[in-house]
Amino acid sequence: MFISSKRVAALGLALTALVVTGCGSDGEKAASTPAASESTDAAAPAGKKIKVGLVTDIGGLNDRSFNALANKGLEDAKTQLGVDGRVITSKSNSDYIPNLSSLAQQKYDLIVGVGFLMADAVDTVAKKFPETNFAIIDFPQAGLKGKPKNVRGLLFKENEAGYLAGTIAGAYAKANGIDTISSVGGQKIPPVDAYIAGYQAGAEAASPGIKTLNAYSQDFVDQAKCKEIALDQIDRGSGIVFQVAGQCGLGSLDAAKEKGKLGIGVDADQGYLGDHILTSALKKIDVAVLETIKSVQDDAFKPGEDQVFDVKSEGVGIGEVSAAGAEFQAAVDEAQAKIAAGELDIPDTVGK
């Protein structure tokens, strides 16, 4: 059973890692910004010395989920593989190209763009630096406009993780007389919608006829926006709120706690936030980053294609289930087995 046992300690390591502040308007400024530690652990294994750069999207490392997990993957590579690593955070979309270009100009062996929102920037910079290896999380290589051959896509079946979260939400709701659950997305982009579509499908399978509310904050940072949406959903009867909005979504979970409702985390196991967290929909971005870095170190990196992480490969799944949801674990296990066996057709688009 793919159940994470990592809670505060693991995520805390990701968030306390030394990071660099994002650049402003050009690559030179990015290059001169203090970086995350580029020295390696003295006890790190001796391997091929490579330099790996990671550029966050606007959610930043304080999202305690998406970007934080990518950074954890880099930190794990520094410790386990002995690579040199640097993180540059992005404060706005206009930072993406300068940040990526800065690392490419410094001849980093691998540059990882964290997130769907960075697709155009990765496409632009990868074409300018064809000898540099790039990876992008949540966007397919073939989907990039110029289809650069030096990029590898790291994709996740969020709909499968969402389905598992929806299964336990629906089962809990049915057993406790709750007729409405909800989700709060950041921007309406494919990875977000895939989570939500799976969540709604899983809930419907576990509790036929359940009402599902959904809204988008159009933001991945401002927690107040997501909290306001969740409070409105709770006022409309939602008993369980699923956050799919990174750092902004933490506000949704806070709203659930404030109103005595349950919340479901995203990407990382967010059970550390309190007993009101029923579970979390997971995707192992840290593992994907670590594996990709190792492939470069081993001269086995395969650009020009994608790697897909799903339930079967244990690349996505569900986090620890709270005491309140423990009695519904069997339903989750059954759904997970069916997904791994390819027996369920799970939508990946909201409204499909």
Side-chain angles (χ1 to χ4, degrees):
M1 175 66 187
F2 174 57
I3 298 294
S4 170
S5 62
K6 300 178 181 177
R7 279 190 180 274
V8 182
L11 198 53
L13 286 174
L15 297 177
T16 55
L18 294 175
V19 299
V20 59
T21 304
C23 82
S25 59
D26 56 51
E28 182 179 353
K29 187 172 182 180
S32 65
T33 305
S37 174
E38 294 194 30
S39 62
T40 56
D41 191 312
K48 179 182 176 182
K49 283 293 183 182
I50 64 171
K51 296 196 303 180
V52 180
L54 186 147
V55 178
T56 75
D57 73 2
I58 55 177
L61 294 173
N62 290 328
D63 62 2
R64 290 190 270 179
S65 57
F66 187 76
N67 289 283
L69 282 173
N71 183 56
K72 181 180 182 299
L74 177 58
E75 290 298 315
D76 287 346
K78 289 164 66 176
T79 301
Q80 299 175 29
L81 307 177
V83 307
D84 292 330
R86 179 182 180 185
V87 178
I88 304 181
T89 58
S90 304
K91 300 299 184 182
S92 68
N93 292 347
S94 63
D95 289 341
Y96 296 155
I97 289 178
N99 285 342
L100 292 165
S101 297
S102 171
L103 295 171
Q105 289 162 0
Q106 296 174 68
K107 300 187 182 302
Y108 272 67
D109 298 286
L110 173 67
I111 300 169
V112 181
V114 185
F116 181 92
L117 298 177
M118 299 186 69
D120 287 344
V122 169
D123 181 62
T124 297
V125 178
K127 286 185 294 184
K128 290 182 179 179
F129 297 90
E131 301 304 314
T132 301
N133 295 317
F134 290 83
I136 181 169
I137 296 169
D138 281 352
F139 202 94
Q141 182 273 340
L144 296 172
K145 294 176 183 178
K147 296 179 173 54
K149 297 300 184 181
N150 55 330
V151 179
R152 183 172 178 82
L154 306 179
L155 308 179
F156 299 82
K157 290 194 175 181
E158 295 93 351
N159 59 329
E160 294 183 352
Y163 190 94
L164 296 177
T167 296
I168 194 167
Y172 181 93
K174 184 177 181 180
N176 290 276
I178 297 171
D179 61 9
T180 305
I181 62 173
S182 63
S183 51
V184 179
Q187 294 184 27
K188 186 176 172 60
I189 57 177
V192 170
D193 267 11
Y195 265 132
I196 295 169
Y199 175 68
Q200 293 178 344
E204 173 63 27
S207 181
I210 193 169
K211 183 177 181 180
T212 55
L213 305 175
N214 180 56
Y216 302 89
S217 63
Q218 304 304 328
D219 196 295
F220 286 105
V221 179
D222 190 344
Q223 295 185 33
K225 291 181 179 179
C226 286
K227 183 172 184 177
E228 181 179 358
I229 291 172
L231 288 173
D232 175 68
Q233 292 175 339
I234 291 169
D235 284 344
R236 294 165 60 192
S238 176
I240 304 173
V241 181
F242 177 31
Q243 83 100 339
V244 195
Q247 185 177 351
C248 176
L250 296 175
S252 304
L253 301 181
D254 185 55
K257 182 177 182 179
E258 184 178 296
K259 295 295 184 178
K261 307 301 181 181
L262 295 177
I264 296 177
V266 75
D267 293 336
D269 191 329
Q270 297 183 319
Y272 65 90
L273 292 171
D275 293 340
H276 65 296
I277 304 300
L278 182 62
T279 190
S280 301
L282 304 183
K283 62 182 188 181
K284 291 193 171 183
I285 297 169
D286 54 336
V287 173
V289 170
L290 177 62
E291 287 185 0
T292 302
I293 293 171
K294 189 175 189 308
S295 74
V296 173
Q297 189 180 54
D298 294 343
D299 296 319
F301 181 72
K302 295 181 179 179
E305 60 184 53
D306 301 322
Q307 183 172 1
V308 179
F309 299 84
D310 55 13
V311 161
K312 185 175 182 178
S313 66
E314 298 189 346
V316 303
I318 194 169
E320 287 193 32
V321 173
S322 70
E327 65 181 288
F328 310 107
Q329 184 68 61
V332 175
D333 292 348
E334 181 180 357
Q336 182 162 289
K338 288 182 177 179
I339 293 171
E343 296 176 3
L344 296 179
D345 183 16
I346 304 172
D348 59 10
T349 303
V350 175
K352 184 176 180 179

